[in-house]
Amino acid sequence: MVDLTQIMDDEVFMAFASYATIILSKMMLMSATTAFYRMTRKVFANPEDCVTFGKGENAKKYLRTDDRVERVRRAHLNDLENIVPFLGIGLLYSLSGPDLSTAILHFRLFVGARIYHTISYLTPLPQPNRALSFFIGYGVTLSMAYRLLKNKLYL
Amino acid sequence: MVDLTQIMDDEVFMAFASYATIILSKMMLMSATTAFYRMTRKVFANPEDCVTFGKGENAKKYLRTDDRVERVRRAHLNDLENIVPFLGIGLLYSLSGPDLSTAILHFRLFVGARIYHTISYLTPLPQPNRALSFFIGYGVTLSMAYRLLKNKLYL
Amino acid sequence: MVDLTQIMDDEVFMAFASYATIILSKMMLMSATTAFYRMTRKVFANPEDCVTFGKGENAKKYLRTDDRVERVRRAHLNDLENIVPFLGIGLLYSLSGPDLSTAILHFRLFVGARIYHTISYLTPLPQPNRALSFFIGYGVTLSMAYRLLKNKLYL
């Protein structure tokens, strides 16, 4: 029987696991941020959520949208759209035997860029802060995809 | 050459594979549910989808939103936002050599909480049913992230 | 210490890695397509994005929705909803020791169906082009889930 804990002795894989866990935890913070703004601003999407703030028609006025909440939701969706490819491609890239320092450079750039993307989106900072951080994360993922397909293409 | 099928002999990994497959299949049911409500309620997002119900202006009246459909779509997006971190963190956690019974407790709680979340969202059940099931799933994923980073942090 | 690069010597796993990377890269193209339509049609979701097109009230007129942009966004979200289960279930299925030709058939059908789904959505082609490609991808993922649970269920 194979000892799975050995997989985690691989330094590239351990680094990927750490950075992936950090960026996923950051993404999960977006849910908490949405919930925070929904509660403090009393902005809800479901009738059953605003029962505590009033009954009948009085409660229905809280079924609305809010710029702040929509902004967090857009940032969250953008995270999903970019972190899913990073997870999939990054995992396979980590298993394809890359150079340790190259791999860590990729992971650090991606995680840094996505954290800066969230800061740019939620503050909001003027463009091109957000656009730039988006493209750095995007480029890092494509660079890993390119190296993976160049070395290991099997169709 | 490594025999990959050995990885699946690891009990924690086999358990993760089973629970992950079950919760992903549940998430896929949300697409079918959306399609079901769109067809039975004649509520569509694309002009080409309602051609069979009429031509020209007569078809365009089906391009609308519907509370029931939007509710399923919100539940689906909430699934995506929570199941993606569970998949990524859970996979890496499974490979980090956790105790079998602790790991299975995490997986069961998460899968149970997410199934109850869907039931709460679609029925809908009064709050705090949905909020509670959300936070259980959220907490389980953060607990796995914490154990992973505590044991295997490599930056 | 285990040599992780051996995992990539497994033909099924190499095939999965290639097809997963291709379909994730395709999904990433959706972000670029959205950005392209937003720029060329001057349709933005955030005030800070349209500063270059005018100041104050003059800029706010670009905060709007557009059929073309919304179509790409729906296609992107549909990709996410379907590619996430494929990634999770496909990865675990690849590790469960399937027959090479069966596995490759699954991967090829899924990737082909999802590429055709995007073409059908963005052109748009008349139904049932999009519906059919959706269901092929859906069925392929469920078929892998079924084989996985049949062989390796551990609850």
Side-chain angles (χ1 to χ4, degrees):
Chain A
M1 192 174 140
V2 71
D3 183 5
L4 264 190
T5 60
Q6 288 186 325
I7 290 183
M8 277 289 185
D9 291 343
D10 184 86
E11 287 179 305
V12 171
F13 198 81
M14 254 172 88
F16 173 72
S18 301
Y19 286 103
T21 304
I22 288 167
I23 202 63
L24 282 171
S25 305
K26 187 219 73 66
M27 190 175 89
M28 289 177 71
L29 265 181
M30 307 305 277
S31 298
T33 311
T34 304
F36 171 78
Y37 281 123
R38 282 201 185 283
M39 296 304 285
T40 54
R41 301 192 157 219
K42 297 186 184 163
V43 177
F44 299 100
N46 298 291
E48 69 269 27
D49 299 352
C50 33
V51 168
T52 42
F53 299 107
K55 298 246 177 213
E57 288 310 309
N58 198 28
K60 269 186 194 161
K61 71 178 177 204
Y62 300 118
L63 290 180
R64 49 187 178 176
T65 56
D66 174 272
D67 273 0
R68 197 75 220 164
V69 172
E70 294 307 305
R71 183 176 281 277
V72 180
R73 294 185 64 219
R74 285 197 297 274
H76 198 169
L77 188 57
N78 194 285
D79 261 1
L80 257 181
E81 290 170 356
N82 287 283
I83 291 175
V84 165
F86 172 77
L87 281 184
I89 291 171
L91 176 71
L92 300 167
Y93 167 78
S94 301
L95 296 173
S96 72
D99 184 50
L100 178 63
S101 59
T102 316
I104 287 184
L105 181 68
H106 278 84
F107 304 154
R108 274 185 194 155
L109 266 175
F110 183 85
V111 168
R114 291 309 304 180
I115 290 173
Y116 192 69
H117 182 270
T118 303
I119 295 169
S120 310
Y121 218 147
L122 299 191
T123 309
L125 297 179
Q127 289 285 22
N129 279 289
R130 197 182 90 229
L132 227 69
S133 56
F134 171 83
F135 280 114
I136 292 173
Y138 199 79
V140 166
T141 310
L142 286 185
S143 159
M144 294 193 299
Y146 171 74
R147 280 153 193 267
L148 190 53
L149 291 183
K150 202 182 67 172
N151 294 328
K152 296 282 176 183
L153 191 66
Y154 187 97
L155 296 178
Chain B
M1 191 176 140
V2 71
D3 183 6
L4 264 190
T5 60
Q6 287 186 325
I7 290 184
M8 277 289 184
D9 291 343
D10 184 86
E11 286 178 304
V12 172
F13 198 81
M14 254 172 88
F16 173 71
S18 302
Y19 286 102
T21 304
I22 288 167
I23 203 63
L24 282 170
S25 305
K26 187 218 74 65
M27 191 176 88
M28 289 177 72
L29 265 181
M30 307 306 276
S31 299
T33 312
T34 304
F36 172 78
Y37 281 124
R38 282 202 185 283
M39 297 304 285
T40 53
R41 300 190 160 220
K42 297 188 184 162
V43 177
F44 299 100
N46 298 292
E48 67 269 28
D49 299 351
C50 32
V51 168
T52 41
F53 299 107
K55 297 246 176 214
E57 289 309 308
N58 197 29
K60 268 185 194 162
K61 70 178 177 204
Y62 299 119
L63 290 179
R64 50 188 177 175
T65 56
D66 174 272
D67 273 0
R68 197 75 219 164
V69 173
E70 293 308 305
R71 183 175 281 278
V72 180
R73 294 185 65 218
R74 286 196 297 274
H76 198 169
L77 188 57
N78 194 284
D79 261 1
L80 257 182
E81 290 170 357
N82 288 282
I83 292 174
V84 164
F86 172 78
L87 281 184
I89 292 171
L91 175 72
L92 299 167
Y93 167 78
S94 301
L95 296 174
S96 71
D99 184 52
L100 178 62
S101 60
T102 315
I104 287 185
L105 181 68
H106 278 85
F107 303 155
R108 274 185 195 156
L109 266 175
F110 183 85
V111 169
R114 291 310 304 180
I115 290 173
Y116 192 69
H117 183 270
T118 304
I119 295 169
S120 309
Y121 218 145
L122 298 191
T123 308
L125 296 179
Q127 288 286 20
N129 279 289
R130 197 183 90 229
L132 228 68
S133 57
F134 171 83
F135 281 114
I136 292 173
Y138 199 78
V140 166
T141 310
L142 287 184
S143 160
M144 294 193 298
Y146 171 73
R147 280 154 193 267
L148 190 53
L149 291 182
K150 202 182 65 173
N151 294 328
K152 298 282 176 183
L153 191 65
Y154 187 98
L155 296 179
Chain C
M1 190 175 140
V2 71
D3 183 5
L4 265 190
T5 59
Q6 288 186 326
I7 289 184
M8 277 289 185
D9 291 343
D10 185 85
E11 286 178 305
V12 172
F13 198 81
M14 255 173 87
F16 173 72
S18 302
Y19 285 103
T21 305
I22 288 168
I23 202 64
L24 282 170
S25 306
K26 187 219 73 67
M27 190 176 89
M28 291 177 71
L29 265 181
M30 307 305 277
S31 299
T33 312
T34 304
F36 171 79
Y37 282 124
R38 281 202 186 283
M39 297 304 286
T40 52
R41 300 191 158 219
K42 297 187 183 162
V43 177
F44 299 100
N46 298 292
E48 68 268 27
D49 299 352
C50 32
V51 168
T52 41
F53 299 107
K55 296 243 178 217
E57 289 309 310
N58 197 29
K60 269 187 194 160
K61 71 177 176 204
Y62 300 118
L63 289 180
R64 51 186 176 175
T65 56
D66 174 273
D67 273 0
R68 196 75 220 164
V69 172
E70 293 307 305
R71 183 176 281 278
V72 180
R73 294 184 65 218
R74 285 197 298 274
H76 198 168
L77 187 58
N78 194 285
D79 261 1
L80 257 182
E81 291 170 357
N82 288 283
I83 291 174
V84 165
F86 172 78
L87 281 185
I89 292 171
L91 175 71
L92 300 167
Y93 167 78
S94 301
L95 295 173
S96 72
D99 183 52
L100 178 62
S101 60
T102 315
I104 288 185
L105 181 68
H106 278 83
F107 304 155
R108 275 185 195 157
L109 265 175
F110 183 85
V111 169
R114 289 311 303 179
I115 290 174
Y116 192 69
H117 183 270
T118 304
I119 295 170
S120 309
Y121 218 146
L122 299 191
T123 307
L125 296 179
Q127 290 284 23
N129 279 290
R130 196 182 92 229
L132 226 68
S133 56
F134 171 82
F135 281 113
I136 292 173
Y138 199 79
V140 166
T141 310
L142 287 185
S143 160
M144 293 192 299
Y146 171 73
R147 280 152 194 267
L148 190 52
L149 290 183
K150 202 183 67 173
N151 294 328
K152 297 282 175 182
L153 191 66
Y154 187 98
L155 296 179

